[in-house]
Amino acid sequence: MTPVILLAEAKKSAEVTDWGARIGWLVGLALFIALVYWLMREGWKWRGTLQSDLPELPGAPEETGPARLSMSGRYHGSTTAGQWLDRIVAHGLGTRSRAELTLTDAGLEVERPGATDFFVPASALRGARLDKGIAGKVLTEGGLLVVTWALGDKLIDSGFRSDHAAEHTEWVDTLNQMTNDTEGAR
């Protein structure tokens, strides 16, 4: 007889899959992933607790005056000024969202659907620049509008990306002019 016929005559091949072991591994992997997400969430909450000494975010005044500039885009987060990886999560500043920015003589109003809105008074603005990244978001050089402002005694950098990136330069120029005018008036 030829070897091919002998193989066909074999009773049955051995079981390849051990379902009990496979299910055990999948359950173990799911528990590990759940643990990692839980630890990340706890770290986020702990960071918020550490930053609880930050004062509440100021609300917009009743009358802010006419808009100097407005922009639609995304809010990518806030960090300690000069430390682009030290994310601030207290008071909802760590939540990324869509954003509508309006700059008036009174200050910068940030409206965020689904997240906490905030207002930066003109006296708290410290400057603006184009940058390439802020905690968790890296873009091409100059792709991010970073506004530096004071909240209590802490300087904060907040990162925004316009739907029309060509607007960024005008925002930087106008914000820096406003801060120079405010510093000159002090």
Side-chain angles (χ1 to χ4, degrees):
M1 274 193 183
T2 62
V4 174
I5 295 173
L6 290 176
L7 290 174
E9 290 178 2
K11 290 184 176 182
K12 188 176 178 185
S13 62
E15 281 290 323
V16 176
T17 305
D18 180 6
W19 286 105
R22 181 170 282 187
I23 290 171
W25 275 104
L26 289 174
V27 167
L29 181 62
L31 288 173
F32 176 74
I33 290 171
L35 173 68
V36 168
Y37 278 111
W38 180 79
L39 288 171
M40 288 170 49
R41 183 173 166 265
E42 290 300 308
W44 187 269
K45 286 172 33 181
W46 178 250
R47 181 173 280 272
T49 302
L50 290 175
Q51 297 168 348
S52 64
D53 61 336
L54 283 175
E56 287 294 320
L57 297 172
E62 290 290 323
E63 195 58 40
T64 58
R68 292 175 98 177
L69 291 173
S70 62
M71 173 174 80
S72 291
R74 298 212 40 95
Y75 168 76
H76 288 289
S78 292
T79 63
T80 302
Q83 299 177 10
W84 73 285
L85 291 176
D86 186 21
R87 183 187 299 264
I88 295 176
V89 301
H91 309 302
L93 288 175
T95 306
R96 289 187 184 177
S97 61
R98 293 282 308 157
E100 297 287 329
L101 275 68
T102 306
L103 182 65
T104 65
D105 289 331
L108 176 65
E109 186 174 357
V110 181
E111 294 178 20
R112 303 186 305 153
T116 307
D117 298 342
F118 62 96
F119 179 77
V120 181
S123 61
L125 290 169
R126 298 295 184 258
R129 69 181 185 280
L130 296 179
D131 212 330
K132 65 179 178 179
I134 199 160
K137 186 65 175 180
V138 178
L139 300 163
T140 59
E141 189 65 45
L144 194 66
L145 169 66
V146 177
V147 177
T148 303
W149 55 287
L151 181 59
D153 60 351
K154 186 169 189 116
L155 285 180
I156 296 175
D157 284 342
S158 293
F160 303 94
R161 171 95 173 147
S162 174
D163 291 338
H164 308 286
E167 297 176 323
H168 288 175
T169 305
E170 182 181 11
W171 273 83
V172 169
D173 294 341
T174 305
L175 279 164
N176 285 332
Q177 182 63 42
M178 276 183 71
T179 57
N180 289 338
D181 292 346
T182 304
E183 287 174 6
R186 287 187 209 169

